[in-house]
């Protein structure tokens, strides 16, 4: 999520971000510092990708740490989750976006490495879809929504028609232009939508691009209407409970930024 947010911010307004803008160790390397931060956030996913392309979907310990124990005495192990299509599609999208951005920065070799990672992760996920459970519509999140996201990012980076065809086939906007980004219990296409509108309109399907942008705008306007009724005017989903920091999440700002 962090890498996606930083890269989206950069691509939406690249003129706002430069090298040596922040006090990060990588400053002065010819890459905007915000992209360096995205690279740092993506390092774990590089390490979690197996040779066959599949990506392990995160890490976790077998229990919470003892909060009065110093870190060197912590006996909890840290383990990688299994490979699955969800983690692989998410990583494919981030890797493809990093490849595109690094290529623009003149880092051709690193860009090529990330594009190879993206292709392999996508191919593995296509070949290893999550089991479809008829009683759990959320499984569409693994095999449809995130594949559409990764396909959009790969198309933007490679301009290969097969990825564009995948996006169009996996999303509703060609047949139903008024479709929203989220259909609760069916799909959540927010990441896919944001990825698609970053594509220049003349390189996309123009009618679909307009429909996707309209869906994003509709979401942003809903947030604004909800926020106008709040005592504190921070941007958020009007139906999200204000618990555990939900009012502060950056993802609510993305539709407005697009």
């Amino acid at each position: 999520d962090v890498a996606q947010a930083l890269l989206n911010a950069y691509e939406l307004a690249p003129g706002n971000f430069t090298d040596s803008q922040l006090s990060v160790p990588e400053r002065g390397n010819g890459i905007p510092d915000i992209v360096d931060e995205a690279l740092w956030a993506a390092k774990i996913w590089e390490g979690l990708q197996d040779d066959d392309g599949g990506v392990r979907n995160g890490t976790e310990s077998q229990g919470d740490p003892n909060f009065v124990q110093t870190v060197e005495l912590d006996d909890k192990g840290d383990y990688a989750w299994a490979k699955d299509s969800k983690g692989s599609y998410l990583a494919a999208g981030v890797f493809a976006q990093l490849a595109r951005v690094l290529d623009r920065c003149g880092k051709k070799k690193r860009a090529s490495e990330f594009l190879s990672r993206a292709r392999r992760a996508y191919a593995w996920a296509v070949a290893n879809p999550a089991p479809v459970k008829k009683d759990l519509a959320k499984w569409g999140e693994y095999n449809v929504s995130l594949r559409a996201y990764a396909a959009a990012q790969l198309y933007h980076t490679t301009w290969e028609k097969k990825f564009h065809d995948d996006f169009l086939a996996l999303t509703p906007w060609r047949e139903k232009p008024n479709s929203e980004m989220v259909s609760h219990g069916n799909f959540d296409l927010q990441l896919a939508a944001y990825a698609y509108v970053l594509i220049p309109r003349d390189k996309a399907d123009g009618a679909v691009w307009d429909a996707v942008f309209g869906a994003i705008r509709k979401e942003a306007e809903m947030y604004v209407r909800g926020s106008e009724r709040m005592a504190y005017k921070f941007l958020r989903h009007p139906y999200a409970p204000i618990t555990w920091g939900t009012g502060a999440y950056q993802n609510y700002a993305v539709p407005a930024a697009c």
Side-chain angles (χ1 to χ4, degrees):
D1 292 353
V2 173
Q4 289 164 344
L6 294 171
L7 291 168
N8 284 341
Y10 173 75
E11 288 206 283
L12 283 166
N16 291 351
F17 305 102
T18 60
D19 188 16
S20 299
Q21 188 176 32
L22 305 172
S23 296
V24 296
E26 299 86 355
R27 63 185 299 162
N29 63 356
I31 299 172
D33 293 341
I34 193 173
V35 178
D36 281 321
E37 288 293 281
L39 284 164
W40 190 89
K43 283 184 72 174
I44 188 172
W45 305 109
E46 294 181 71
L48 289 171
Q49 186 174 34
D50 283 355
D51 291 340
D52 61 5
V55 181
R56 299 176 181 275
N57 197 6
T59 65
E60 184 58 279
S61 64
Q62 80 269 37
D64 291 335
N66 182 335
F67 290 104
V68 296
Q69 189 178 54
T70 54
V71 66
E72 67 272 14
L73 299 177
D74 184 7
D75 60 353
K76 299 292 189 294
D78 202 32
Y79 303 90
W81 295 0
K83 290 179 288 191
D84 66 12
S85 60
K86 182 178 183 181
S88 299
Y89 282 135
L90 283 168
V94 170
F95 292 159
Q97 192 172 15
L98 276 168
R100 182 169 69 250
V101 169
L102 288 171
D103 185 72
R104 292 175 187 164
C105 297
K107 307 298 181 181
K108 305 292 185 181
K109 183 175 184 296
R110 196 79 198 280
S112 177
E113 292 169 354
F114 272 113
L115 181 54
S116 175
R117 285 184 177 277
R119 289 184 184 278
R120 290 187 290 115
Y122 189 85
W124 186 93
V126 170
N128 296 273
V132 176
K133 298 185 177 182
K134 292 182 179 179
D135 58 329
L136 289 176
K138 69 176 183 179
W139 286 90
E141 169 190 340
Y142 288 70
N143 297 328
V144 178
S145 302
L146 294 180
R147 182 174 176 178
Y149 155 69
Q153 292 288 13
L154 276 160
Y155 173 63
H156 192 173
T157 301
T158 67
W159 302 126
E160 292 177 15
K161 182 178 181 294
K162 64 181 181 181
F163 294 121
H164 196 202
D165 289 344
D166 278 0
F167 175 85
L168 295 174
L170 293 163
T171 55
W173 289 294
R174 189 162 49 176
E175 285 74 29
K176 298 179 179 179
N178 292 326
S179 294
E180 297 183 351
M181 290 192 293
V182 180
S183 174
H184 295 289
N186 295 309
F187 58 76
D188 182 341
L189 289 164
Q190 292 181 89
L191 288 176
Y194 305 148
Y196 199 69
V197 296
L198 285 173
I199 297 170
R201 188 180 181 280
D202 63 343
K203 292 281 191 177
D205 180 306
V208 171
W209 194 98
D210 291 341
V212 174
F213 185 78
I216 295 173
R217 181 169 183 164
K218 186 184 297 183
E219 187 86 359
E221 289 173 346
M222 177 180 67
Y223 295 171
V224 171
R225 287 195 304 272
S227 298
E228 287 174 344
R229 298 195 297 268
M230 301 291 291
Y232 297 96
K233 303 296 191 288
F234 56 91
L235 198 65
R236 58 182 292 274
H237 194 299
Y239 303 113
I242 304 179
T243 59
W244 289 91
T246 54
Y249 288 168
Q250 54 74 27
N251 54 311
Y252 298 138
V254 176
C258 288

